[in-house]
Amino acid sequence: PGTVLPDEETILRLGAGESHTYAIPARGLAATRFIPKTGCDATGNNCDIQSMPPCPPQGCDAPIDTKFEASWGCVYARGRPLLDAVHCALTAQGQPATYQDWWDGSAVD
């Protein structure tokens, strides 16, 4: 799983035609993952599609693996690793985030 976005709900319910703008920290964010789900209960669980534990009584469905994964760059990055490490989020490899955003989307059904 990705990193939790600060000041954002872990599960966000959007109605038909609604949108949401996420607040990405200026320090960057090493990784995050957005997984769409539908037909969920009020807590965002027991979904018709993309159920993850806790599962509905009939069990979890097979994962669809449709998701959006991203690493968000640091607005303070200057290409100077020692200085950037003070101001920017660290990647899983322990390196400071760069100024670049990276994303990967997969649509599998």
Side-chain angles (χ1 to χ4, degrees):
T3 305
V4 175
L5 284 167
D7 303 319
E8 294 282 355
E9 296 291 327
T10 305
I11 298 175
L12 177 67
R13 183 184 184 110
L14 295 175
E18 292 183 327
S19 64
H20 178 76
T21 300
Y22 288 95
I24 305 299
R27 291 177 42 85
L29 191 64
T32 193
R33 179 180 293 165
F34 300 90
I35 301 173
K37 304 187 285 183
T38 63
C40 303
D41 65 18
T43 66
N45 295 305
N46 300 310
C47 306
D48 292 335
I49 297 177
Q50 202 69 5
S51 285
M52 299 181 332
C55 299
Q58 67 271 22
C60 284
D61 54 81
I64 294 176
D65 289 336
T66 294
K67 58 187 165 259
F68 174 83
E69 299 173 301
S71 298
W72 307 102
C74 174
V75 298
Y76 309 117
R78 298 295 178 262
R80 295 156 72 199
L82 293 177
L83 184 60
D84 290 350
V86 173
H87 299 288
C88 299
L90 298 180
T91 66
Q93 295 78 26
Q95 300 299 314
T98 67
Y99 62 90
Q100 298 170 311
D101 296 332
W102 297 92
W103 64 272
D104 176 36
S106 62
V108 180
D109 54 11

